[in-house]
Amino acid sequence: MTEPLDWYEFGPVASIPRQSARTTRTDAGQIAVFRTVDDRIFAIPDRCPHRGGPLSEGIVHGHKVTCPLHNWVIDLATGNALGADDGCAGRIPVRIENGRIMLGLTRAKAEVPGD
Amino acid sequence: MTYISPRPHGRPERLVVVGNGMAGMKAIEETLERAPGRYAITVFGAEPRVNYNRIMLSPLLAGEKSFPEIVINDAGWYEANGIVLHQGDPVVKIDRERQVVRSRAGHEVSYDRLLLATGSSPIVIPVPGKDLEGVVSFRDVDDVERMLDAASAGGNAVVIGGGLLGLEAAVGLQARGMQVSVVHLAGWLMERQLDQAAGFLLQRELEGRGVTVLTEADTAEIVGTERVSAVRLKDGCTLPADLVVMAVGIRPNVDLARNAGLEVERGVVVDDFMTTSDPAILAVGECIQHRRQCYGLVAPLFEMAKICADRLAGIETNGYAGSITSTKLKVTGVDLFSAGEFQAGDDCEDIVFRDAARGIYKRLVIEDGRLKGAVLYGDTRDGAWYFQLMRTGEEIAGTRDTLIFGPAFAGAGAPANPSQAVAALGDDAEICGCNGVCKGRIVAAIQSEGLTTVDDVRRVTKASGSCGSCTGLVEGLLQAALGDGYEASEVKPVCPCTVHDHDTVRRLIRVGRLKSIPAVMQALEWRTPDGCHVCRPALNYYLLAAWPGEYVDHAASRFVNERMHANIQKDGTYSVVPRMWGGLTSPKELRAIADVAERYRIPTVKVTGGQRIDLLGVKKEDLAAVWADLNAAGMVSGHAYGKALRTVKTCVGSEWCRFGTQDSTAMGVALERLTWDSWTPHKVKMAVSGCPRNCAEATIKDFGVVATEGGWDLHVAGNGGIKVRPTDLLCKVKTPEEVEEHCGAFLQLYREEARYLERTAHWVERVGLDHVKARVVDDAEGRRALYRRFLESQRHAQDDPWADQTVRGTTRNEQPALLAAE
């Protein structure tokens, strides 16, 4: 990554139920932020590398999510498709500060379109 | 060097066994293996049944096993080996001079060799009320039957004694629906096998299951007039009790030996070759005392049985040197292993590992560079390996740093592969503690008899045939021996997160009264922290079906369609299908649908195969508003997205059709009102045709009804999908009420028996139409019970999800725009 990261506040950890995701819209498309059963937070673009399915609607298990369209399983830490499938959804750096989720984005990408 | 003593000429020697329990019969099995035909054997047993596996009484109590499943040797075995068995007839006298025993029934039998295996009796603490009705011990099948009798009425049980047996009794009774308290004298549970920390973890686990645990509690009195009503403790506290189980320990049965003048202390004294003070008389099992030790666990009995058999077969050995014992608690979902010494002395060092979040505690005790004891809680996979290290007394200095992580780390870079871990064990490592089978025996059997499956190994060696907890180790041995030639057992696990198949999971959910997904995963030892997209929806369904009205649906374990109450489409939009009862609609409903389609710019409106209207391309953020508008016009969710009742398709029937014989639309509406919003293993489609022309295509539905002149034909298990399967005729009935009762009963049977994602067609093909007919048609009482359970479940189910505000909330999962940080 060449451009330096800026940190943006997404919201409190508690705003995402365990084994679920919440989303936010940015210039670079929708981002899905996941909270796993062991309270880890991960953020990846909300698009399955297969056919663009909304990963935020998938079943979250371990540090993985299963895409609701065709059951591709995506590793939340890397964005990579697991098993026989090949592809990467991408990954967004996450930091937790005082219980609040911070996403690391380049400034241009964080602007919300139209708002 | 070994030698076999010459067999005496003429008749076989007469061997009489007193006691038909595990130790005696193990000794006989081993003797028959070593010296077939040498002895004419007579067995006297006090219990009126064949030889069974006493350590399986806990699973019997918990309902995980039935009596035939815990039988070790059935009547055929005694017959095949020419053994004369006197059941329910204990020996009352030994005449050592004449070498004759006499039984209670008056049988006199002469012996050349006599084997005492009289076992032990439960200790009854001498408190007032100990003889009241409802006070039992936990020792044999009769005790279990008495406990089950009491449990069938519910109420309170008090278990006196928080040792191995007491806790297994407590959990079994709790699973049978009783309120259970455990009264334990020591400071923590199983104080002879556990240290305080592991005892605490165990107590917390049991309390989490609803068992009350009182430690440092001493019983003063059992209260009651004829039947027990309470237990009073010395601190004055009184516990209500409809059943009291005394499980404070056992005492060797020595009266017979003592009366015969044999040397007896706490037990019948034997030397290293299991021989008593009379050289013609041997003894094994819980009745003996060897080097001042008495044993109450199964593994030592098996070791004694082998030495005893060697002696009887004339094989010279080094004799029995006593046993290091290991313990496993046979409570589903509690992993507990303890072996050797762990009350650390001054010269001992401890290695301790804790992972509180996962409930894991491991402690190893080391003395003089050797492993002396181990307590494992929560993860006992390495128990066999530690136990082996203790028995061999191997130096562990070189591996000490990683010892706590088990054999996977012990060798340099050894892989963490279970089948390789088992390959690393020595030949005399015990694999099956229940049946005393070591690794060498299993490997030899695999090789010499060409065994290829776990069932084969079970049949030939009995390994993993009892509690089954070593099944994984046996699979590992098969895999190591056969390599790629090994195909894992036919049991098809739900998914890679578990070893259990669907049917086992369902059964254990009910038996273990497991009521949440984490509870199931904990109890059934899921390999992943929270399952996967395959098992979680299945567990959610099984729990919903098992505990209607009690289990709280877990949205995060449902496929997105069932969470959104709409079908996700390839572009991430949704389709919405309102319910049209029996395919009937009205101008008002059609107008509302038209308004919704225009208002939310829904691009496609289509009539479905199930006689509904599908609104395709609804944006997620519009879902809640679309539902609200459809609700306002009186429409509810059509469940076109669910593993649930989808549609009831109908023809117009006798109301309009000149061929119609019955009112098929009214029947269809009634069936849909009956069954809507019921969750099922897979989707369910129904149809009602008003005459045999069958315009509603009822004979390719899960449940199809075809009207005839005299009534209704009921068809089941049809499917119009990838492979068209016409229905089977279930039966013919006369009245609409009968149609409803059969429909509800059929669906309930499907809900209770089918595996998740198994359509009725596949289920009926698997279990057979005859089975379904037997349950739904032939057994009227059973059918009504199924129907009642269906209605009970529906009572909790029939709420329109679209009207539920919390459901509407689940569609709103977008956060506000990002805020730049300082």
Side-chain angles (χ1 to χ4, degrees), chain B residues 251-393:
Chain B
R251 179 179 288 138
N253 288 330
V254 296
D255 289 352
L256 186 68
R258 182 179 281 132
N259 292 339
L262 295 174
E263 188 186 347
V264 170
E265 288 174 11
R266 267 188 306 150
V268 180
V269 176
V270 295
D271 63 13
D272 288 356
F273 302 94
M274 314 317 297
T275 306
T276 66
S277 55
D278 178 341
I281 302 178
L282 289 81
V284 289
E286 291 177 347
C287 65
I288 67 114
Q289 178 181 327
H290 171 261
R291 299 191 189 175
R292 317 192 68 80
Q293 274 286 340
C294 293
Y295 293 95
L297 293 167
V298 70
L301 310 192
F302 289 161
E303 289 175 24
M304 292 177 206
K306 286 176 186 168
I307 300 292
C308 172
D310 286 334
R311 187 66 165 191
L312 286 170
I315 299 170
E316 202 168 88
T317 63
N318 289 332
Y320 179 59
S323 298
I324 300 175
T325 55
S326 71
T327 303
K328 267 185 184 170
L329 186 67
K330 284 175 296 303
V331 169
T332 305
V334 178
D335 277 331
L336 184 61
F337 174 90
S338 147
E341 298 289 323
F342 55 88
Q343 308 288 12
D346 289 345
D347 306 331
C348 293
E349 297 163 84
D350 276 333
I351 301 176
V352 176
F353 172 90
R354 290 173 202 270
D355 183 342
R358 289 192 297 150
I360 291 175
Y361 173 81
K362 301 183 186 187
R363 176 158 163 232
L364 304 179
V365 178
I366 293 167
E367 194 182 26
D368 293 337
R370 289 180 172 79
L371 188 60
K372 281 286 166 202
V375 182
L376 308 178
Y377 186 93
D379 176 2
T380 57
R381 281 173 298 184
D382 298 330
W385 186 69
Y386 291 128
F387 191 44
Q388 183 70 4
L389 286 181
M390 269 176 243
R391 282 158 45 124
T392 56

